[in-house]
Amino acid sequence: MNTEFMSKAFEIAQKSGSDIPVGAVIVKNNKILAQFHNEKEKRNDATAHAEILAIKEASKNLEEWRLCGCDMYVTLEPCPMCAWAILQSRIDNLYFGAYDNVYGAFSVLPELWTIANSKINVKGGIMESECKKLLDEYFEKMR
């Protein structure tokens, strides 16, 4: 785990404009392969989450859908859609910032990973206070 990459994901999340500020970075051998923030509003696409966009870009860059040997850093605990894509892409390690007590696939649906027989290593709470504050500020402005 490298806090430099979580800091990069946080920096990207801050550039999300009208979208929920979530940033994702995919790394292999300490090299960033992909970095995205949410673009649901920008693309008018419900699936344009930072994680999904980053997976697509990393797969394109590697010319391979299997992202074995890769790590993902994301500022918010992935939702079930993103978590399943992460699992299917064979990412080795997932590091996330803020926990999502409503939609978080790892804290709300831990049995999903037992069913999937996944070997992914997951660690949450990295830069948690900064990531949570960014999200809280965004939702406060929306109210």
Side-chain angles (χ1 to χ4, degrees):
M1 199 274 304
N2 185 326
T3 55
E4 172 189 339
F5 296 125
M6 183 57 81
S7 293
K8 184 66 174 173
F10 182 78
E11 177 185 317
I12 292 162
Q14 292 175 307
K15 298 176 182 176
S16 64
S18 62
D19 278 288
I20 296 172
V22 176
V25 172
I26 296 179
V27 176
K28 185 169 187 173
N29 299 325
N30 284 321
K31 180 183 175 205
I32 294 176
L33 296 175
Q35 54 188 19
F36 269 94
H37 54 70
N38 276 357
E39 293 190 0
K40 286 178 14 177
E41 297 295 334
K42 179 180 177 184
R43 295 179 185 224
N44 203 25
D45 178 356
T47 67
H49 290 204
E51 301 95 324
I52 300 291
L53 297 172
I55 287 169
K56 288 180 178 184
E57 183 69 16
S59 294
K60 180 180 167 186
N61 288 336
L62 289 176
E63 298 180 346
E64 172 69 61
W65 67 265
R66 291 174 191 87
L67 299 180
C68 299
C70 292
D71 299 333
M72 178 181 277
Y73 294 81
V74 62
T75 56
L76 178 64
E77 179 180 7
C79 70
M81 174 183 72
C82 292
W84 196 253
I86 292 164
L87 186 108
Q88 290 297 309
S89 67
R90 313 292 199 272
I91 287 173
D92 289 357
N93 299 293
L94 170 67
Y95 304 105
F96 67 87
Y99 285 86
D100 185 338
N101 297 323
V102 177
Y103 299 111
F106 296 93
S107 60
V108 177
L109 298 170
E111 65 277 359
L112 182 63
W113 311 114
T114 304
I115 294 166
N117 196 26
S118 173
K119 294 180 174 74
I120 191 169
N121 176 44
V122 179
K123 180 166 177 34
I126 301 158
M127 290 181 58
E128 182 175 11
S129 60
E130 297 95 321
C131 295
K132 185 177 181 326
K133 182 179 179 193
L134 182 63
L135 289 160
D136 289 345
E137 289 171 355
Y138 170 82
F139 286 114
E140 189 63 36
K141 287 178 189 173
M142 297 300 290
R143 292 186 186 124

